[in-house]
Amino acid sequence: MTDDATDTPFPALPDDYVQVPGEDSSVTAQTASPAYRLAFVDDDFLLRPDLRAVRLQLELLKPELLQQEQGIRSTIAMFGSARIPDPETAKANVEQAEQAARAHPRDKRVAHALTVARRMLANSHYYEEARRLAGIVTNTCIGEHVCDFVVKTGGGPGIMEAANRGAFEIGGKSIGLNIVLPHEQAPNPYITPELCFRFHYFAIRKMHFMIRVKALVVFPGGFGTMDELFEALTLIQTGKIDPIPVIMFGREYWERVINFDAMAMEGMIGPDDKNLLTFVETAEEAWNHIADFYRLPR
């Protein structure tokens, strides 16, 4: 490896490059000082508040370069709740919650947990739709060196897992944009390892969701899903990005939790802004809309 400015080879970095005073007779006060460490391998230095701008740049640059190496030309971003399980897990959760409710019939928390488990079982069909859609989308780029419409998710469980799984099951690539959280989020096992990224900064992760994106597919979800949804709608509404399909799975859910018509009646959005959204119920409907938008063969 060389430094582009001087074409001088970087010094070799052995595993024990951080020397400890007293372990080597050649160590001096000067060479043992943190100031002597190479800046780009000095974690204490890189993690200083003053280096935030550099860290932001690195988080932007690393996934960009690796996606270029993998031939990723465009993506389909798929969002949704991390809490929606696959149908088999959802059924098992209901059975467990029912057992708990029978054992504690007057416990309100147990009763609430049963209600939630039953709703999650009803919602688990979205896991299967996300999985199927990812397979349909990924089928458009299997075998190509340059890949269009590569599935991209937040890298976690639930709907994210389903989407990465659908791509994995037909032998395609998919991307996971994981984030460091107080309760650590592990990447789901279906992400292409070379495209499994980890972020500290939400802002840079958001940018990577929108870079290369050709469509946004949104399944029922909570705060995080809505955050990404409204971020994209704002960028489209303000002309910061070109129009892309924004596909909403589950009209009944979305119109119950967000009253877009009320926002329009109050003058908070334009009367045509709701047209930015397309509601669908199946993977085929979603793909047909994307294919029609880009005039692709079905």
Side-chain angles (χ1 to χ4, degrees):
M1 184 182 294
T2 61
D3 184 328
D4 292 339
T6 64
D7 204 33
T8 301
F10 287 143
L13 296 174
D15 293 338
D16 59 345
Y17 70 87
V18 180
Q19 295 176 327
V20 179
E23 289 188 350
D24 190 323
S25 59
S26 65
V27 173
T28 66
Q30 288 75 26
T31 61
S33 169
Y36 187 71
R37 296 176 193 158
L38 290 169
F40 57 85
V41 294
D42 186 344
D43 288 345
D44 291 335
F45 175 68
L46 289 173
L47 293 175
R48 289 172 56 166
D50 315 77
L51 271 291
R52 182 173 291 116
V54 174
R55 295 195 298 275
L56 287 164
Q57 184 177 13
L58 289 172
E59 283 209 343
L60 182 64
L61 188 59
K62 179 181 177 180
E64 171 62 25
L65 295 178
L66 294 182
Q67 286 180 84
Q68 288 180 17
E69 291 174 5
Q70 290 292 317
I72 307 301
R73 186 160 58 187
S74 66
T75 62
I76 302 291
M78 295 178 64
F79 300 115
S81 177
R83 303 183 184 191
I84 295 178
D86 63 87
E88 293 75 16
T89 300
K91 291 175 185 176
N93 291 343
V94 168
E95 291 172 2
Q96 186 177 22
E98 286 175 341
Q99 291 175 2
R102 286 193 294 268
H104 306 279
R106 297 183 179 180
D107 191 320
K108 293 182 178 180
R109 287 178 297 180
V110 172
H112 176 71
L114 176 56
T115 299
V116 171
R118 286 172 172 165
R119 287 304 308 150
M120 283 300 174
L121 176 57
N123 287 325
S124 65
H125 77 279
Y126 290 119
Y127 183 102
E128 287 303 307
E129 291 302 324
R131 182 178 172 184
R132 292 198 313 112
L133 175 60
I136 294 170
V137 168
T138 304
N139 194 48
T140 66
C141 66
I142 281 184
E144 297 292 336
H145 174 66
V146 177
C147 300
D148 279 313
F149 301 105
V150 177
V151 168
K152 174 166 52 181
T153 79
I159 293 297
M160 296 174 281
E161 175 189 289
N164 291 123
R165 182 177 177 179
F168 172 83
E169 289 175 334
I170 66 166
K173 298 178 180 180
S174 72
I175 302 166
L177 306 181
N178 294 268
I179 186 77
V180 175
L181 298 172
H183 302 288
E184 185 66 21
Q185 173 190 297
N188 71 65
Y190 302 107
I191 305 165
T192 301
E194 296 80 7
L195 294 168
C196 185
F197 305 113
R198 192 179 185 212
F199 295 85
H200 174 76
Y201 296 104
F202 267 107
I204 302 300
R205 182 177 182 246
K206 286 173 179 287
M207 290 184 68
H208 274 290
F209 267 123
M210 300 311 297
I211 294 172
R212 295 182 173 83
V213 74
K214 287 289 188 74
L216 186 72
V217 182
V218 188
F219 289 81
F223 289 164
T225 302
M226 293 191 185
D227 178 36
E228 300 295 350
L229 168 63
F230 283 106
E231 184 92 32
L233 289 175
T234 301
L235 292 173
I236 297 170
Q237 183 194 54
T238 57
K240 286 294 185 179
I241 63 173
D242 292 333
I244 60 172
V246 179
I247 298 169
M248 312 286 287
F249 267 81
R251 178 187 290 271
E252 189 274 335
Y253 173 83
W254 288 110
E255 292 192 339
R256 181 158 49 90
V257 299
I258 306 175
N259 194 332
F260 293 104
D261 290 330
M263 295 170 72
M265 288 179 64
E266 294 290 337
M268 302 303 171
I269 61 175
D272 295 329
D273 284 342
K274 191 177 177 181
N275 295 333
L276 297 175
L277 308 171
T278 299
F279 293 96
V280 302
E281 303 298 332
T282 69
E284 288 77 12
E285 284 184 87
W287 174 244
N288 287 342
H289 182 74
I290 294 170
D292 288 347
F293 188 91
Y294 290 108
R295 299 179 181 178
L296 302 174
R298 296 189 186 181

